[in-house]
Amino acid sequence: MTVILDRAETLDSAGDLTETAAWHRVCPLDELEPAWGEAALIEGRQVALFRTGPSEVFAVAQQDPATLANVMARGIIGSRGSRPTIASPLHKEVYDLETGECFTNPGLRLDAFATRLVDGFVEVEL
């Protein structure tokens, strides 16, 4: 399957084109296995998707901030209290799936993206 995702652009106050965040349809929800990560390429950016509940999906950068390897979809899903987390498969740094905050090393941060479900499809805002 080939998916072409449109890039959203607007004019800034100087009249120059700038990119704005846009929603991108990625896949049907039922193609994501619960408690398992999947990688997606959206607008040239690798994103890791995690289905943590019947209708709950998180999206973060696929690139591990500590090593710069594109491996986060193979991380270990867990939680810290009520916060859903992902642990890097390489050095086990633990990140908040909602905010990207690193619990084990405050100097690291994982890009986190908004998600939504529309007509049974997962959409990610980039």
Side-chain angles (χ1 to χ4, degrees), residues 25 33 48 53 99 106:
R25 184 167 280 195
E33 292 184 46
T99 66

Side-chain angles (χ1 to χ4, degrees), residues 94-112:
V94 178
Y95 299 90
D96 186 313
L97 278 172
E98 292 178 346
T99 66
E101 171 190 4
C102 184
F103 291 114
T104 53
N105 183 345
L108 297 175
R109 184 171 229 26
L110 184 63
D111 288 340

Side-chain angles (χ1 to χ4, degrees), residues 25-31 55 116-123:
R25 184 167 280 195
V26 180
C27 65
L29 175 64
D30 60 4
E31 287 187 6
S55 60
R116 67 183 182 188
L117 298 177
V118 177
D119 299 326
F121 284 85
V122 175
E123 293 187 353

